Amino acid sequence: MADHNLRNDPPVLAPMVVASDLVSRFISYLVHKSEKQHTTTEQDLERLKSVLLRIYTIVEEAEARQIRNRGMILQLKGLMEGMFLGYYVLDSFQFQCVEEEGVDEDHQVSCKRLRFSTCTRSTSLLSLGTENTPVLKNVIESLETKICDVRELVVLLASCPRLPQQPYCTYLFMEKSLFGRHVEKEQVIDFILHDDQNLAVLPIIGPHRIGKRTLVHHACQDERVRGRFLNIVFFHGDDLGNISLMPSTKYLCIVEFSWDVDAEAWKIFRSSMKKAAISGSKVIIIGRTDEIAKWGTTPAIRLNRLSPEMYWYYFKALSFGSMNPDDHPKLASLGMQLATELQGSFLGANILGHILRGNPSAEIWSGFLMSLRRMSRKRLSIFEEHPPEKNHPSHTAEVAFMNYRGCMLYDLREAGHFQSDIPRLTPAGVELEGKIPCDLGFDVLVWRSQIPPFCNYIATFLQPKPRRIVRRNKNPLAVSITYQS
């Protein structure tokens, strides 16, 4: 009987071993977490660099693939947003407080913490940190989580076809690519390729020069779209009343409204499209106001400015080119401030980035920063005194938007790719011209876009007369006259 009881006793050693193993793992987890929480700022920065390198490797591989799965695109977008945030935090700690040479290390570290907390008030960075978890550590943990979440994406990338080889240099790639609009581009393509029996209309709404036309042009260049539509036509909103369409044709029409939208002209155009176009025809309308949203048969796509983190990544690539910002901390510090002043402008990043890349001088970069701040204050005062009418351009063409080599730049305007009167003189050519006569205005090609619709941007350069300043000394008969440009 006793032997029988012994044979049927349940084993008690195995649960004890499992419990011991669980306790050991939990203790190891707590120790590992405690070690992470008590690392120094320098250790955290090195850890952040390592995490960002891993993410950059995944993103670079993904950008070399043709991804058509919407879920994969959304995963990639989230990973890239994390990467932009990580680089922004890293650069903020490294460059934001670089003021002058010879500052002692302890002062630099304290300065970094102070500057970082003040320079990011307008962003969501501070919301990432808590009293017990500083921003830097929380960002690192967030990025590590993102890497774990995209394991399936990494596996699926191998099945995506490769794109044609891209330029090795990042800035060359960015000058010829659509930056930060991958999801919106796929939304436009999905709309175009979707089978609709009736005429389908997609509104795209966004501020001036935010990239609405560029987005549509890139979508229309996609091989899937070109294989579906042989007739892709572009119209201006002012011309809708004078358009004749060939009957029984499948159209993809893009209509752009600059300022005012003519509802009556739109009704006439839509009626003509319904009569002439066959099933499957599509219309994309581009505008700056919400008024066009009600004309759509599908929800509007709204384009907003890039986040400060994404914009700094973009501007840094354009302004540094093949230079490493880590080797030029003073320039990087000035660059971050310049990016803030440009307020997310794609056009400003390309115009100024091209000039800065050719002039890697702290004196020149600092001069641009001061001039941009002066111009911003002046334009702001004009807006306060004479607010622009709704949906209409403000009359600020007479206000300079930039100062370059002593010349004031006015009246930035756009010219078509095939326009004949485009000036050949560029900002680099202005520098080679030498001394410029005062009060002699001349047009300069400040930037030529390398991506569709391949627009040219022209500005008027003007060398102002030096201002005459009269100062009287203590001796009433002594007068000092100086000239200030």
Side-chain angles (χ1 to χ4, degrees):
M1 189 72 175
D3 292 339
H4 177 74
N5 289 337
L6 286 173
R7 285 194 299 270
N8 289 313
D9 282 344
V12 295
L13 186 58
M16 293 178 60
V17 172
V18 172
S20 176
D21 184 54
L22 290 174
V23 171
S24 176
R25 290 184 181 182
F26 181 67
I27 293 174
S28 298
Y29 166 77
L30 292 178
V31 171
H32 183 63
K33 186 174 182 180
S34 176
E35 290 176 350
K36 286 186 176 180
Q37 294 296 333
H38 291 87
T39 54
T40 64
T41 301
E42 288 72 18
Q43 290 174 324
D44 286 337
L45 289 175
E46 290 302 317
R47 183 176 159 209
L48 177 58
K49 290 178 183 178
S50 176
V51 173
L52 287 173
L53 180 59
R54 294 170 62 191
I55 295 179
Y56 181 81
T57 302
I58 299 172
V59 170
E60 188 176 41
E61 179 64 23
E63 288 185 333
R65 303 276 182 170
Q66 190 174 47
I67 304 175
R68 295 179 176 177
N69 182 288
R70 183 167 176 78
M72 292 177 65
I73 292 172
L74 290 174
Q75 275 192 304
L76 178 61
K77 180 184 178 183
L79 186 65
M80 292 179 71
E81 288 175 348
M83 182 183 73
F84 297 139
L85 174 62
Y87 277 116
Y88 188 82
V89 171
L90 177 64
D91 291 345
S92 295
F93 271 91
Q94 291 187 139
F95 307 135
Q96 194 68 14
C97 72
V98 179
E99 296 284 349
E100 57 186 24
E101 298 290 335
V103 180
D104 62 279
E105 185 176 351
D106 291 336
H107 178 72
Q108 285 187 6
V109 172
S110 62
C111 180
K112 285 176 183 175
R113 291 170 181 164
L114 176 63
R115 288 296 183 85
F116 179 73
S117 63
T118 56
C119 79
T120 57
R121 281 197 297 260
S122 60
T123 70
S124 59
L125 293 182
L126 289 181
S127 63
L128 297 173
T130 64
E131 183 178 354
N132 297 321
T133 309
V135 174
L136 185 55
K137 296 182 186 297
N138 217 355
V139 168
I140 295 172
E141 292 177 3
S142 173
L143 295 180
E144 290 176 336
T145 301
K146 284 183 179 292
I147 292 178
C148 294
D149 291 342
V150 296
R151 289 175 179 172
E152 295 83 0
L153 172 66
V154 175
V155 174
L156 292 173
L157 282 177
S159 63
C160 297
R162 282 197 170 274
L163 293 169
Q165 189 173 4
Q166 303 290 352
Y168 180 74
C169 293
T170 303
Y171 79 93
L172 292 176
F173 172 72
M174 288 201 178
E175 284 185 336
K176 298 182 179 181
S177 66
L178 181 68
F179 181 79
R181 304 293 190 199
H182 301 289
V183 173
E184 291 85 354
K185 177 184 173 183
E186 287 300 318
Q187 284 180 294
V188 176
I189 294 175
D190 286 345
F191 163 79
I192 295 174
L193 298 182
H194 188 268
D195 291 325
D196 293 292
Q197 296 300 317
N198 299 318
L199 182 66
V201 181
L202 170 66
I204 299 179
I205 304 171
H208 187 35
R209 291 173 179 161
I210 199 67
K212 301 182 291 294
R213 278 185 304 161
T214 302
L215 171 65
V216 174
H217 273 274
H218 272 74
C220 292
Q221 292 289 331
D222 189 277
E223 60 182 17
R224 295 168 287 172
V225 174
R226 291 208 165 273
R228 182 74 64 91
F229 289 90
L230 298 178
N231 296 284
I232 303 176
V233 291
F234 291 79
F235 298 123
H236 196 275
D238 297 338
D239 302 327
L240 290 184
N242 305 312
I243 292 173
S244 59
L245 299 170
M246 292 180 59
S248 302
T249 305
K250 189 176 181 180
Y251 283 105
L252 171 57
C253 295
I254 294 88
V255 181
E256 180 182 10
F257 292 96
S258 295
W259 292 102
D260 290 321
V261 292
D262 190 337
E264 290 301 320
W266 165 254
K267 289 179 181 178
I268 295 172
F269 172 76
R270 184 181 61 182
S271 177
S272 300
M273 278 288 295
K274 287 182 177 180
K275 293 177 181 178
I278 64 174
S279 175
S281 293
K282 303 294 178 74
V283 177
I284 299 175
I285 48 178
I286 300 171
R288 307 178 194 180
T289 66
D290 287 336
E291 188 174 351
I292 66 171
K294 61 186 179 184
W295 299 345
T297 60
T298 189
I301 294 177
R302 300 178 183 274
L303 296 186
N304 299 309
R305 298 193 182 280
L306 299 181
S307 67
E309 301 83 27
M310 290 180 68
Y311 188 74
W312 164 237
Y313 188 90
Y314 180 70
F315 180 70
K316 177 173 65 173
L318 293 176
S319 56
F320 279 89
S322 58
M323 294 190 302
N324 185 355
D326 293 347
D327 299 332
H328 306 273
K330 180 61 178 178
L331 293 183
S333 175
L334 292 168
M336 294 195 80
Q337 297 174 70
L338 284 164
T340 301
E341 293 298 324
L342 290 172
Q343 299 179 354
S345 168
F346 278 107
L347 185 57
N350 281 279
I351 293 176
L352 188 56
H354 181 75
I355 296 174
L356 296 178
R357 194 164 66 241
N359 296 274
S361 162
E363 182 181 357
I364 293 176
W365 288 36
S366 180
F368 273 115
L369 178 61
M370 290 187 292
S371 71
L372 282 177
R373 286 174 174 170
R374 284 196 302 267
M375 305 308 170
S376 297
R377 288 193 295 267
K378 189 171 183 179
R379 296 176 77 88
L380 180 61
S381 66
I382 290 178
F383 286 146
E384 290 175 347
E385 294 177 8
H386 307 285
E389 297 180 16
K390 185 179 179 181
N391 303 336
H392 285 272
S394 57
H395 300 288
T396 55
E398 71 279 4
V399 180
F401 65 91
M402 191 182 292
N403 185 321
Y404 179 68
R405 298 291 187 181
C407 288
M408 310 301 288
L409 278 64
Y410 296 85
D411 191 20
L412 180 65
R413 55 203 183 274
E414 182 181 306
H417 181 60
F418 298 104
Q419 193 167 320
S420 58
D421 57 346
I422 298 174
R424 294 185 178 182
L425 187 62
T426 64
V430 172
E431 186 175 351
L432 296 175
E433 287 290 328
K435 189 174 182 181
I436 301 170
C438 295
D439 284 346
L440 177 62
F442 54 96
D443 290 341
V444 175
L445 177 64
V446 290
W447 184 56
R448 172 170 286 160
S449 174
Q450 301 297 310
I451 58 178
F454 301 107
C455 292
N456 299 286
Y457 293 91
I458 302 168
T460 299
F461 276 48
L462 181 67
Q463 173 79 13
K465 285 184 178 179
R467 289 182 295 171
R468 186 182 181 188
I469 302 175
V470 179
R471 294 186 178 90
R472 293 190 177 275
N473 299 328
K474 293 182 179 180
N475 183 351
L477 298 179
V479 177
S480 174
I481 301 177
T482 60
Y483 290 89
Q484 182 177 356
S485 59

